[in-house]
């Protein structure tokens, strides 16, 4: 059986014929040894056809389709023209060697050309790649390298391109930086407290907040200069006049040592750095909130921006998180504990990063695992909606959050929650209504159309709530004619009700009559059966006699 080889280069498609395969016996070691020598390899493998790509864009499209395991129209035409034709109902006397098994299966599905991909074929294709420039005479020494470089750059550029509005890489970097900033701000603020406490140790007990402590350390400088004149400025920083007076009194009776002006300058500079870091951390958090509302609005509204960003960063991307089942999402971040439990055959962890959510903190100790499982289910739904939805909205996330709240009430108080189908229907209707509102805002209707819509709504409301209208009839005008019209409407409605009641009574009477007639027929039938039974009994008694 003849073996053809398909080689996809950066400049075009090449088709090679491998001769003498049966003599070699498909020994990979013999092929490896013969690849390096072109004289031996050239006798086995020969070029049969070559088709160059039209442009760099064409090469990029062909490369993208090949990586996905798809056969393009150009490749199909190339194979059908250069490979021997197979008659219908007969097996092919050749096979096509391909480097990608997915591509080979797709070629076989479309063209019925038998394909194979194994170590032997891959070794021969490696030899073709090594000596490809010498097989094609028209190629110059540097042409193939330029084509490979250009195609590699364009392919990488195309893979890196993404939608700017839904960049989850920015969220991953922001949450990593936010975590490191939290550690740095805490360690630096503790260093400021320790450093400035040598001069003013009483301030630590009065002010607990790190940012305010650094701000006060920068403002106060030397405690001996503090007086009652500085109370309004201290109240602006602290937001409390009593605390400001307490700081002034503590400074007067402080037990701390005096610091030199150079030491005080260093403390002030370090306090300023801590303040800048805290302010940058706040700005970064605001940036993360806006990014999460753009990328994953439903996940953010369900579980919070920080926890949602941690889940996305741990999974790698929003698409990876959407692909994860809820059982995997539940224990994301607890991989060490999971594998330790599997190794020691102990209890597996109930939650990972989800534990930072407020829902699990509010649940009781015996319901934390159940709450984590339910919350992971809702988080997986929200991430899939965010990943694959065309337009971003927070309606589904809000509804899922309501469901989690209802589940909490069910665990604590026993209140039955709504069904998932009803909640999702309401969410879909809300999303559709929001889309309609957006469309109406874009194209504002004429005033006549608005009036007609209002009239329709009023008529529907009047038809649906006739009973309510009778009890709570509101007359907007002051004229006597309007009151008379309202009374006449009441009379008409009462008459309609009477007619409907009479019709229902007549229908019920008719059904009762029908039922009676059926019962009478049954009564007529029953004695006939009894008569037959009596006749049988009489015949039996006569026979006995």
């Amino acid at each position: 059986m003849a073996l053809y080889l398909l080689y996809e280069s950066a400049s075009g498609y090449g088709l090679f014929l491998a001769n003498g395969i049966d003599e070699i016996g498909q020994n990979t070691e013999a092929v490896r040894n013969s690849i390096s020598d072109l004289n031996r390899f050239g006798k086995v493998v020969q070029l049969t056809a070559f088709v160059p790509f039209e442009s760099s864009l064409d090469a990029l499209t062909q490369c993208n389709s090949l990586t996905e395991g798809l056969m393009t129209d150009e490749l199909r035409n190339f194979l059908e023209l250069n490979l021997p034709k197979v008659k219908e109902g007969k097996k092919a006397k050749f096979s096509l060697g391909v480097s990608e098994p997915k591509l080979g299966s797709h070629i076989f599905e479309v063209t019925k050309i038998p394909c194979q991909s194994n170590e032997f074929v891959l070794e021969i294709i490696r030899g073709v790649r090594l000596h490809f420039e010498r097989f094609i005479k028209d190629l110059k020494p540097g042409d193939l390298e330029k084509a490979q470089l250009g195609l590699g750059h364009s392919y990488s550029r195309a893979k890196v391109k993404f939608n700017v509005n839904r960049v989850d890489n920015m969220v991953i970097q922001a949450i990593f930086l936010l975590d490191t900033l939290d550690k740095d701000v805490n360690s630096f603020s503790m260093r400021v407290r320790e450093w400035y406490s040598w001069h003013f140790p009483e301030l630590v007990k009065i002010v607990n907040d790190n940012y305010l402590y650094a701000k006060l350390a920068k403002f106060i400088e030397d405690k001996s200069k503090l007086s009652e004149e500085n109370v309004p400025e201290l109240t602006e920083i602290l937001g409390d006049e009593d605390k400001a007076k307490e700081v002034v009194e503590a400074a007067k009776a402080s037990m701390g040592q005096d610091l030199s002006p150079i030491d005080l300058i260093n403390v002030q500079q370090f306090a300023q750095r801590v303040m800048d870091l805290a302010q940058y951390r706040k700005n970064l958090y605001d940036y993360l909130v806006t990014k999460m509302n753009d990328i994953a609005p439903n996940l953010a509204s369900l579980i919070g921006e920080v926890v949602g960003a941690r889940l996305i960063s741990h999974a790698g991307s929003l698409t990876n998180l959407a692909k994860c089942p809820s059982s995997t999402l539940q224990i994301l971040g607890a991989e060490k504990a999971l594998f330790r439990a599997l190794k020691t055959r102990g209890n597996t962890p109930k939650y990972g990063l989800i534990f930072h959510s407020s829902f699990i903190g509010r649940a009781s100790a015996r319901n934390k695992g159940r709450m984590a499982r339910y919350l992971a289910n809702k988080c997986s739904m929200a991430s899939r909606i965010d990943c694959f939805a065309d337009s971003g909205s927070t309606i589904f996330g809000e509804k899922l959050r309501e469901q989690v709240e209802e589940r909490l009430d069910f665990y604590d108080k026993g209140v039955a929650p709504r069904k998932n189908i009803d909640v999702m229907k309401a969410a879909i209707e809300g999303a559709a209504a929001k889309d309609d509102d957006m469309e109406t805002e874009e194209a504002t209707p004429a005033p006549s159309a608005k009036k007609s819509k209002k009239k329709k709504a009023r008529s529907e409301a009047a038809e649906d709530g006739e009973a309510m209208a009778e009890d709570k009839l509101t007359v907007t005008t002051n004229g006597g004619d309007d009151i008379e019209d309202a009374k006449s409407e009441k009379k008409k409605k009462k008459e309609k009700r009477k007619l409907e009641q009479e019709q229902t009574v007549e229908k019920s009477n008719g059904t009762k009559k029908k039922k009676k007639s059926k019962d009478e027929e049954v009564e007529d039938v029953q004695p006939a059966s009894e008569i037959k039974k009596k006749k049988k009994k009489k015949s039996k008694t006569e026979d006995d006699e």
Side-chain angles (χ1 to χ4, degrees):
M1 183 182 282
L3 176 64
Y4 287 89
L5 299 168
L6 176 66
Y7 176 66
E8 311 94 4
S9 67
S11 55
Y13 291 120
L15 191 67
F16 294 83
L17 176 62
N19 296 315
I21 298 299
D22 295 332
E23 285 82 2
I24 295 172
Q26 295 190 359
N27 189 1
T28 53
E29 289 294 331
V31 174
R32 282 197 193 98
N33 296 328
S34 63
I35 279 172
S36 57
D37 189 5
L38 182 60
N39 294 324
R40 292 176 64 189
F41 188 73
K43 292 175 183 178
V44 177
V45 178
Q46 295 175 355
L47 178 68
T48 56
F50 176 75
V51 173
F53 295 131
E54 294 178 358
S55 61
S56 59
L57 184 62
D58 185 27
L60 179 61
T61 54
Q62 299 292 327
C63 185
N64 285 325
S65 61
L66 289 173
T67 51
E68 293 172 3
L70 300 174
M71 181 180 62
T72 58
D73 295 334
E74 291 83 0
L75 180 58
R76 182 179 179 180
N77 295 330
F78 173 67
L79 293 175
E80 288 178 349
L81 284 172
N82 296 296
L83 286 173
K85 293 181 181 179
V86 182
K87 293 181 180 179
E88 293 182 359
K90 291 187 178 181
K91 290 184 178 180
K93 295 181 180 179
F94 66 93
S95 63
L96 182 66
V98 184
S99 57
E100 289 290 333
K102 287 184 180 179
L103 180 64
S105 61
H106 189 252
I107 290 170
F108 181 71
E109 286 176 5
V110 177
T111 61
K112 302 299 180 184
I113 296 170
C115 300
Q116 61 174 332
S117 178
N118 49 32
E119 290 184 5
F120 175 71
V121 171
L122 292 175
E123 285 296 328
I124 298 177
I125 290 174
R126 190 168 68 87
V128 170
R129 190 185 303 115
L130 183 63
H131 304 292
F132 185 69
E133 291 182 356
R134 298 181 184 179
F135 280 112
I136 298 168
K137 296 177 182 178
D138 295 334
L139 278 176
K140 294 177 183 178
D143 289 345
L144 187 62
E145 293 175 358
K146 289 179 182 177
Q148 287 174 350
L149 187 64
L151 182 61
H153 279 300
S154 56
Y155 180 74
S156 302
R157 202 178 295 116
K159 285 290 180 185
V160 168
K161 280 184 181 178
F162 40 71
N163 188 1
V164 180
N165 298 322
R166 299 182 68 176
V167 184
D168 48 4
N169 289 327
M170 303 301 158
V171 169
I172 293 167
Q173 297 300 325
I175 193 66
F176 275 131
L177 185 56
L178 198 68
D179 290 337
T180 52
L181 274 177
D182 286 334
K183 292 177 184 177
D184 293 342
V185 167
N186 285 329
S187 60
F188 290 161
S189 58
M190 290 302 294
R191 185 61 56 197
V192 168
R193 282 169 176 269
E194 191 175 349
W195 199 351
Y196 194 65
S197 291
W198 291 105
H199 179 63
F200 193 1
E202 292 81 8
L203 189 63
V204 176
K205 295 179 181 179
I206 299 168
V207 181
N208 295 321
D209 188 54
N210 293 328
Y211 181 74
L212 289 178
Y213 188 90
K215 210 170 183 180
L216 279 174
K218 187 178 182 301
F219 172 75
I220 292 168
E221 296 180 4
D222 192 359
K223 64 182 179 181
S224 60
K225 295 179 182 178
L226 268 182
S227 62
E228 293 181 357
E229 295 176 356
N230 303 116
V231 170
E233 295 173 352
L234 289 171
T235 51
E236 285 182 5
I237 296 169
L238 293 170
D240 189 2
E241 191 175 353
D242 296 332
K243 273 193 176 183
K245 289 178 180 178
E246 191 177 350
V247 169
V248 173
E249 289 174 2
K252 290 178 182 176
S254 178
M255 297 292 289
Q257 66 179 11
D258 294 333
L259 293 179
S260 62
I262 297 170
D263 296 334
L264 285 172
I265 288 167
N266 283 322
V267 172
Q268 287 173 1
Q269 287 179 353
F270 189 57
Q272 184 62 43
R273 289 290 176 90
V274 173
M275 288 166 59
D276 294 338
L277 269 178
Q279 189 63 38
Y280 177 63
R281 195 256 177 211
K282 188 180 178 183
N283 296 335
L284 187 66
Y285 177 75
D286 296 336
Y287 166 76
L288 180 66
V289 168
T290 54
K291 273 291 175 186
M292 279 296 292
N293 288 326
D294 291 337
I295 295 163
N298 293 301
L299 187 64
S301 60
L302 171 62
I303 203 170
E305 289 84 5
V306 176
V307 182
R310 283 204 177 99
L311 286 171
I312 291 170
S313 67
H314 198 81
S317 65
L318 183 62
T319 53
N320 290 345
L321 186 66
K323 289 174 186 176
C324 287
S326 59
S327 58
T328 305
L329 193 145
Q330 182 182 348
I331 55 170
L332 271 180
E335 286 83 7
K336 283 186 179 179
L338 175 67
F339 292 121
R340 193 191 310 121
L342 292 173
K343 197 173 182 180
T344 58
R345 295 183 181 180
N347 294 326
T348 55
K350 296 177 182 177
Y351 27 68
L353 292 169
I354 287 180
F355 183 76
H356 298 289
S357 174
S358 61
F359 293 114
I360 294 172
R362 286 159 56 192
S364 59
R366 64 192 184 90
N367 292 326
K368 282 186 187 294
R370 300 162 74 186
M371 200 66 223
R373 187 167 63 249
Y374 189 80
L375 184 61
N377 182 13
K378 299 303 171 188
C379 286
S380 65
M381 289 170 66
S383 62
R384 286 164 193 171
I385 291 167
D386 290 327
C387 184
F388 301 112
D390 295 329
S391 59
S393 63
T394 59
I395 292 169
F396 289 97
E398 290 166 2
K399 293 292 181 184
L400 292 171
R401 189 179 180 85
E402 289 173 8
Q403 277 189 294
V404 180
E405 293 280 356
E406 289 173 3
R407 184 60 58 151
L408 265 177
D409 293 338
F410 172 68
Y411 288 149
D412 295 338
K413 302 172 185 176
V415 181
R418 290 177 293 173
K419 289 184 178 179
N420 191 31
I421 298 170
D422 301 332
V423 176
M424 286 298 106
K425 279 182 181 177
I428 290 164
E429 288 172 2
K434 192 175 181 181
D435 293 338
D436 293 338
D437 293 338
M438 293 290 287
E439 288 176 2
T440 51
E441 283 177 3
E442 288 175 1
T444 52
S448 61
K450 285 183 181 178
K451 287 180 181 178
S452 63
K453 283 183 180 178
K454 285 181 181 178
K455 285 180 181 178
K456 282 182 182 178
R458 284 175 186 171
S459 64
E460 288 173 0
E463 288 174 2
D464 294 335
E466 286 178 356
M468 296 293 291
E470 287 180 4
D471 295 334
K472 298 179 181 179
L473 183 67
T474 55
V475 181
T476 52
T477 55
N478 297 322
D481 298 332
D482 295 332
I483 295 166
E484 288 176 1
D485 293 336
K487 286 180 181 178
S488 62
E489 284 178 1
K490 274 187 179 182
K491 287 179 182 178
K492 286 179 182 177
K493 287 174 182 176
K494 284 181 181 178
E495 289 174 359
K496 280 184 181 178
R497 279 192 169 182
K498 284 180 182 179
L499 288 168
E500 288 174 359
Q501 287 175 359
E502 288 173 1
Q503 287 175 0
T504 52
V505 169
E506 287 175 1
K507 285 179 181 177
S508 62
N509 290 332
T511 53
K512 284 179 182 178
K513 285 178 183 177
K514 286 179 182 178
K515 284 181 180 178
K516 282 181 182 178
S517 62
K518 285 181 181 178
D519 295 333
E520 287 172 1
E521 288 174 3
V522 171
E523 287 174 2
D524 293 338
V525 171
Q526 281 176 353
S529 61
E530 288 176 2
I531 290 161
K532 287 180 181 178
K533 286 179 181 178
K534 286 178 181 179
K535 284 181 179 180
K536 286 180 180 178
K537 284 181 181 179
K538 283 181 181 180
S539 62
K540 282 181 180 179
T541 51
E542 287 173 359
D543 293 331
D544 294 332
E545 289 175 355

